[in-house]
Amino acid sequence: EDQVTQSPEALRLQEGESSSLNCSYTVSGLRGLFWYRQDPGKGPEFLFTLYSAGEEKEKERLKATLTKKESFLHITAPKPEDSATYLCAVQPLTSGANSKLTFGKGITLSVRP
Amino acid sequence: DAGVIQSPRHEVTEMGQEVTLRCKPISGHNSLFWYRQTMMRGLELLIYFNNNVPIDDSGMPEDRFSAKMPNASFSTLKIQPSEPRDSAVYFCASSALAEQYFGPGTRLTVT
């Protein structure tokens, strides 16, 4: 069974204080690993897809990286507007491209001004 | 460009009543997913469709839950009869490739 574990559950940062969010996964062959951002009262918003170990993707202050067992979401010099819950999900190789994702429980990030 | 549309946004009902949640996927997307989100269990997949055909309903909690997709632009999730433990936020998502795009969700409260 595919499993995704995210840590820590919650993270409080001062504005400008860089940090990383961890996503550990167990899957029988990885088709893709996905990062989403979720704001309170809204649906998850797609951020990145990573497909192979060593791959990196960036968007503004966010950079996602992937190894064979985990993924990191690095946040550089965060701002209060980066406060949200960040969700990680995996899609197994055994399923098709348009198939289900298994999500972690998320990391709630708070950035204080 | 409209995203995934869900209705209603909020639903409060009494135990035993039938509840129907609705979803309109993004035009051109051929896969549709229904998820449920709670504090305890996080985001869980209930069922998904490819080209209007149900592919995996193993996440549907029990026979009280049913989902249909009569055409490419509409899907429903029905709960009959509803129970307090069904209280959660229900999300619909659609995809054309691997990335899924979520709607705003329906917050269901069963009293």
Side-chain angles (χ1 to χ4, degrees):
Chain A
E1 183 178 327
D2 304 332
Q3 288 191 328
V4 179
T5 303
Q6 294 189 249
S7 62
E9 287 187 11
L11 183 62
R12 298 182 70 181
L13 300 174
Q14 197 70 35
E15 183 173 4
E17 179 186 3
S18 301
S19 187
S20 296
L21 312 181
N22 177 262
C23 170
S24 298
Y25 63 91
T26 303
V27 65
S28 53
L30 180 71
R31 175 179 289 277
L33 184 140
F34 302 79
W35 281 98
Y36 284 81
R37 168 188 171 131
Q38 186 174 22
D39 291 298
K42 296 190 176 181
E45 175 188 348
F46 170 74
L47 291 174
F48 304 108
T49 309
L50 300 167
Y51 291 103
S52 57
E55 188 175 1
E56 299 183 352
K57 288 193 176 174
E58 291 188 61
K59 180 179 180 180
E60 297 181 355
R61 295 176 293 281
L62 300 177
K63 183 170 79 172
T65 62
L66 180 65
T67 72
K68 289 186 177 181
K69 293 184 178 181
E70 55 192 351
S71 177
F72 293 93
L73 186 64
H74 308 277
I75 302 177
T76 302
K79 298 181 177 182
E81 53 261 42
D82 295 322
S83 298
T85 296
Y86 291 86
L87 298 164
C88 170
V90 296
Q91 186 178 61
L93 201 55
T94 51
S95 62
N98 285 22
S99 65
K100 64 181 180 180
L101 303 180
T102 299
F103 280 84
K105 290 191 175 181
I107 298 171
T108 299
L109 174 66
S110 299
V111 182
R112 300 187 299 273
Chain B
D1 197 14
V4 175
I5 298 172
Q6 292 187 247
S7 64
R9 293 295 312 278
H10 301 274
E11 178 79 43
V12 180
T13 191
E14 293 184 348
M15 182 174 63
Q17 296 298 305
E18 178 179 297
V19 175
T20 300
L21 311 182
R22 297 172 177 81
C23 175
K24 177 179 171 56
I26 294 171
S27 177
H29 284 190
N30 63 341
S31 295
L32 183 139
F33 306 80
W34 282 102
Y35 289 89
R36 179 171 66 177
Q37 188 175 43
T38 62
M39 288 293 291
M40 287 294 293
R41 301 176 66 89
L43 197 60
E44 301 175 288
L45 178 71
L46 299 176
I47 184 171
Y48 78 96
F49 298 82
N50 279 353
N51 298 314
N52 312 336
V53 176
I55 302 300
D56 184 348
D57 65 354
S58 60
M60 297 285 261
E62 47 199 272
D63 292 346
R64 296 184 299 106
F65 286 69
S66 62
K68 294 182 179 180
M69 191 165 185
N71 57 62
S73 58
F74 184 66
S75 178
T76 59
L77 179 67
K78 185 177 294 186
I79 308 173
Q80 166 62 19
S82 58
E83 297 182 2
R85 59 189 167 132
D86 301 330
S87 297
V89 181
Y90 291 80
F91 289 103
C92 175
S94 70
S95 71
L97 299 171
E99 296 81 11
Q100 296 178 16
Y101 294 87
F102 284 74
T106 296
R107 180 173 295 277
L108 174 64
T109 303
V110 183
T111 61

